[in-house]
Amino acid sequence: MGTNGVAVAGSTAETNGMALIACGSALPAISVSNQQLSERVDTSDEWIRTRTGIGARRVAGPEESLTLLATQAARAALAHAGWGPEDLDLILLATSSPDDLFGTAPRVQGALGATNAVAFDLTAACSGFLFALITAGQYLRSGTMRRALVIGADQLSRWVDWNDRTTCVLFGDGAAAVAVEACPAGENGLLAFRMRSDGSRHGCLTLAQTAEQQPVLSGVTAQLGGFSPIRMNGQEVYKFAVREVPAVLNELLEATGTAAADLNWLLLHQANQRILDAVADRFAIPQERVLSNLADYGNTSAATIPLMLDEAVKDGRVRPGDLIASSGFGAGLSWGGALLRWAGPRG
Ligand code: UT7
């Protein structure tokens, strides 16, 4: 790899796999309980826990920018991988809540001092991390790049309507990063993947531009930039998730000849415990192999999957060689899945 995303290598037998090496995460300091929210909107701890499994969520303060959290997560992943920032060829930041609409990834690259890496954002809502991981995989597996950081980070607390009980109880803020590396095909950790979009149903979950107009010249009216808070048809998104996630996971299992019983972990986007339970039931995966941290963090959008992975790697549940079925789903509508094998840091 040359500098700043300039491809120099070609695909070789030694480099057509991608290994998942290490991860790291960062969370805002403040945790907000269901009880606290019930002081603001007409809700209760009982409703939120039974309908979603969520007990608390982190809310980023004004100083805790997306850049800061993503950079902290990235530094932790680099430290666990044993890499320096200059070892990186690529930084992909999956987010729907950037600090800057022109891109937040370059700020992270600058803060890290990852001078050899090209950095850009990728937006696919709650599917963003998985889409970014798969995208990074294409550069690594083709031999174009060697080392990448895939970051999932969101701060939807900045985009919810805090008076809308149907959404403000669901979302939380966080960032997590996974360090991935080109490796021999035999050690490939991205065993299979699927990515899907259905824009005809985009209206089910939106963070859309406002429609305020500004006359700028005679006969010329521009629209004033700005966004409306998140709006979601929860029931529609729920039905979509419990239909499409099992379908995509089933495709992955069939394509790879994998039995659900061979999976060590089910690692789904953390949106609702009932969705996790429904998907696990569909494949007869026992509760103890379903990763969930909804109780502590709620739905952190693009961050949920790497945040959960980092927690499970840190506490020793996910170990080198473990087989993980993962699926992300959400606005777009977008969804996807990947069958992953965790490698861990190389000795
Ligand atoms: O990350 C992106 C992907 N997003 C998702 O996967 C979200 C998928 N959807 C869901 O997780 C669920 O649909 C929700 C958790 C959002 C809602 O659960 P639900 O069981 O589908 O509830 P509902 O929308 O059918 O609402 C049931 C009742 C309604 O009252 P009525 O009309 O029956 O009187 C709501 O107004 O619950 C009411 N409600 C609440 N009550 C107390 C809605 N939000 C709340 C609340 N507290 N926070």
Side-chain angles (χ1 to χ4, degrees):
M1 187 64 216
T3 55
N4 239 265
V6 179
V8 292
S11 180
T12 70
E14 286 93 54
T15 60
N16 63 5
M18 174 175 83
L20 287 81
I21 301 292
C23 41
S25 60
L27 290 156
I30 298 286
S31 179
V32 173
S33 68
N34 293 343
Q35 175 58 36
Q36 282 173 288
L37 282 180
S38 71
E39 290 158 19
R40 185 183 171 98
V41 290
D42 182 15
T43 191
S44 64
D45 180 56
E46 204 265 332
W47 190 96
I48 302 170
R49 278 185 197 276
T50 29
R51 298 286 180 133
T52 71
I54 297 168
R57 72 287 294 144
R58 299 295 175 97
V59 176
E63 306 303 319
E64 292 173 311
S65 67
L66 194 87
T67 303
L68 181 77
L69 294 176
T71 303
Q72 288 173 346
R75 284 206 181 104
L78 286 176
H80 289 127
W83 300 351
E86 68 286 349
D87 292 329
L88 292 171
D89 301 320
L90 172 70
I91 298 171
L92 267 183
L93 172 61
T95 188
S96 305
S97 45
D99 288 340
D100 185 326
L101 282 182
F102 285 152
T104 301
R107 296 185 186 207
V108 176
Q109 182 247 8
L112 290 173
T115 48
N116 297 318
V118 65
F120 57 95
D121 293 7
L122 185 152
T123 300
C126 301
S127 311
F129 173 78
L130 220 52
F131 283 15
L133 183 71
I134 292 162
T135 302
Q138 308 315 302
Y139 292 110
L140 300 183
R141 297 185 64 184
S142 66
T144 312
M145 296 182 178
R146 206 166 66 87
R147 284 178 167 169
L149 262 189
V150 182
I151 308 172
D154 265 311
Q155 295 181 324
L156 294 187
S157 69
R158 298 185 177 187
W159 296 104
V160 289
D161 174 351
W162 285 96
N163 296 315
D164 175 9
R165 69 176 183 173
T166 68
T167 51
C168 77
V169 303
L170 303 174
F171 297 103
D173 303 335
V178 176
V180 286
E181 182 171 49
C183 70
E187 295 165 27
N188 180 33
L190 178 61
L191 303 175
F193 64 84
R194 294 286 187 278
M195 296 190 285
R196 303 265 189 268
S197 304
D198 180 2
S200 71
R201 290 190 283 167
H202 73 273
C204 292
L205 181 45
T206 57
L207 202 177
Q209 280 214 40
T210 45
E212 201 178 328
Q213 297 183 352
Q214 51 175 347
V216 285
L217 293 167
S218 168
V220 181
T221 301
Q223 189 168 306
L224 196 64
F227 292 86
S228 302
I230 294 169
R231 294 282 173 244
M232 178 168 74
N233 182 334
Q235 285 192 7
E236 281 303 311
V237 178
Y238 186 94
K239 282 188 272 177
F240 143 76
V242 297
R243 185 175 55 244
E244 301 296 356
V245 172
V248 90
L249 290 178
N250 199 43
E251 277 183 44
L252 294 176
L253 295 179
E254 281 187 357
T256 55
T258 306
D262 297 335
L263 297 172
N264 298 99
W265 302 106
L266 186 62
L267 171 53
L268 303 184
H269 168 52
Q270 309 277 301
N272 189 321
Q273 187 62 43
R274 290 187 289 144
I275 296 175
L276 304 193
D277 294 344
V279 176
D281 278 358
R282 160 74 181 71
F283 294 100
I285 295 173
Q287 212 56 56
E288 58 274 17
R289 288 200 274 126
V290 180
L291 295 170
S292 173
N293 61 7
L294 275 158
D296 297 325
Y297 307 122
N299 179 346
T300 56
S301 191
T304 64
I305 290 174
L307 196 59
M308 184 66 252
L309 180 65
D310 185 46
E311 186 181 319
V313 167
K314 270 190 194 136
D315 68 21
R317 274 179 288 173
V318 169
R319 288 184 286 197
D322 277 3
L323 189 58
I324 303 168
S326 188
S327 176
F329 54 89
L333 294 177
S334 62
W335 69 103
L339 198 59
L340 306 169
R341 198 177 288 285
W342 179 250
R346 285 154 188 253

